[in-house]
Amino acid sequence: YRTARSHLATAMPGLVGIGGSHAQRDLFAQLLLSAQQHSGQWLAVQQDLETRRQGDPDNVALNRSLSSVYQALGLDALAQQALERAQRIAHAG
């Protein structure tokens, strides 16, 4: 996972230049996120998820994932806030 993370992180900035759809670039971003998670790069995961949440604040799965990441980082209050946000959104929909 560390090797995949390293190669994907290097490739990501150049993806726009080689073309491909937004969905294809997003797939690579999700692969990078997975590699970061599996290699324990929790701060990078948190930053990526927060960036995604800015674009989709009502995404339940995203907020649940943030809760888990905050727990891994030892940020229990933020983990609880993210979990409560996910539950509130899930019950509202």
Side-chain angles (χ1 to χ4, degrees):
Y1 291 107
R2 288 185 184 274
T3 301
R5 183 200 56 79
S6 176
H7 289 299
L8 285 165
T10 300
M12 289 298 294
L15 289 181
V16 172
I18 62 172
S21 68
H22 176 75
Q24 289 168 324
R25 290 190 305 272
D26 187 56
L27 176 62
F28 279 93
Q30 289 179 39
L31 290 171
L32 175 59
L33 184 63
S34 177
Q36 290 169 330
Q37 288 173 317
H38 283 92
S39 62
Q41 303 292 316
W42 297 114
L43 187 57
V45 173
Q46 181 263 329
Q47 291 171 343
D48 287 349
L49 290 177
E50 284 292 356
T51 298
R52 286 180 174 269
R53 190 170 73 94
Q54 288 176 357
D56 190 5
D58 294 335
N59 185 309
V60 174
L62 184 57
N63 281 289
R64 286 184 180 147
S65 293
L66 269 170
S67 178
S68 297
V69 170
Y70 283 136
Q71 282 183 325
L73 289 169
L75 302 169
D76 296 334
L78 290 175
Q80 185 62 34
Q81 288 175 7
L83 183 59
E84 289 172 359
R85 191 169 45 245
Q87 291 171 339
R88 186 174 56 251
I89 294 165
H91 292 301

